[in-house]
Amino acid sequence: MIRVQHEDFSVDDLYKGLLKANQTGAVAMFVGLVRQFSDIPNESCSFELEHYPGMTERNLQAIVDEANTRWPLLDVCVVHRVGRLSVDDQIVFVGVSASHRAEAFQACDFIMDYLKSRAAFWKKESQGSESHWVEAKDDDEESLVRWSK
């Protein structure tokens, strides 16, 4: 399942959806949250995530398809929120079920690494009355190098 949505999500419900009776040996999950990114105590921080509908979902599907070619997965779930989000809000859920833990861990990590750098999302951070679009980080690109081996 791949969803891009404004609404929050239930980690418990998404987890239960990954379970496949008598087959699931492992579920690996990642939940990303909005963190305080201002150094000024008590300053209001938020950000807005925008995406290109249709293209974003195709990007995510291509990432999931690649993970499925690399590991024998039972199911994958990616939910990414868009719109205005505040500190402590959930942003993204990536969950993978597999027969074995190694495949679940690796695939979850792979999907998140590629999502950070290849999915069509744009982030605008706001601190107090200031705001700016966030540029891609070199660290995110460097994370992909290990998957090309």
Side-chain angles (χ1 to χ4, degrees):
M1 169 181 37
I2 294 172
R3 291 193 324 231
V4 177
Q5 63 190 42
H6 287 274
E7 306 80 31
D8 199 6
F9 51 83
S10 165
V11 173
D12 187 52
D13 289 346
L14 296 172
Y15 164 75
K16 287 176 184 172
L18 289 166
L19 301 177
K20 305 298 171 215
N22 301 319
Q23 298 175 47
T24 304
V27 174
M29 299 181 300
F30 173 84
V31 179
L33 307 171
V34 179
R35 61 178 156 62
Q36 178 73 5
F37 47 84
S38 173
D39 295 332
I40 302 169
N42 301 320
E43 182 173 45
S44 172
C45 291
S46 65
F47 69 73
E48 192 162 344
L49 278 166
E50 293 185 5
H51 75 114
Y52 192 127
M55 184 169 120
T56 304
E57 291 84 353
R58 282 191 301 278
N59 292 153
L60 295 172
Q61 187 62 59
I63 294 165
V64 168
D65 290 348
E66 177 64 22
N68 275 303
T69 65
R70 290 174 178 240
W71 297 280
L73 307 177
L74 298 173
D75 203 358
V76 176
C77 176
V78 177
V79 177
H80 205 297
R81 294 181 65 195
V82 292
R84 190 164 193 79
L85 299 169
S86 299
V87 173
D88 296 329
D89 283 349
Q90 297 180 132
I91 306 167
V92 62
F93 174 92
V94 174
V96 176
S97 63
S99 296
H100 304 283
R101 66 181 162 82
E103 291 89 352
F105 277 130
Q106 291 170 354
C108 189
D109 197 20
F110 171 89
I111 291 167
M112 195 60 223
D113 276 352
Y114 273 82
L115 186 153
K116 284 283 288 181
S117 59
R118 296 295 187 259
F121 291 102
W122 297 273
K123 182 167 76 170
K124 182 178 178 182
E125 290 183 347
S126 299
Q127 299 177 23
S129 61
E130 303 282 321
S131 64
H132 67 279
W133 290 100
V134 177
E135 298 291 324
K137 295 181 177 139
D138 291 339
D139 290 354
D140 292 335
E141 284 297 319
E142 291 167 9
S143 293
L144 301 182
V145 172
R146 66 189 170 125
W147 299 113
S148 62
K149 297 175 184 175

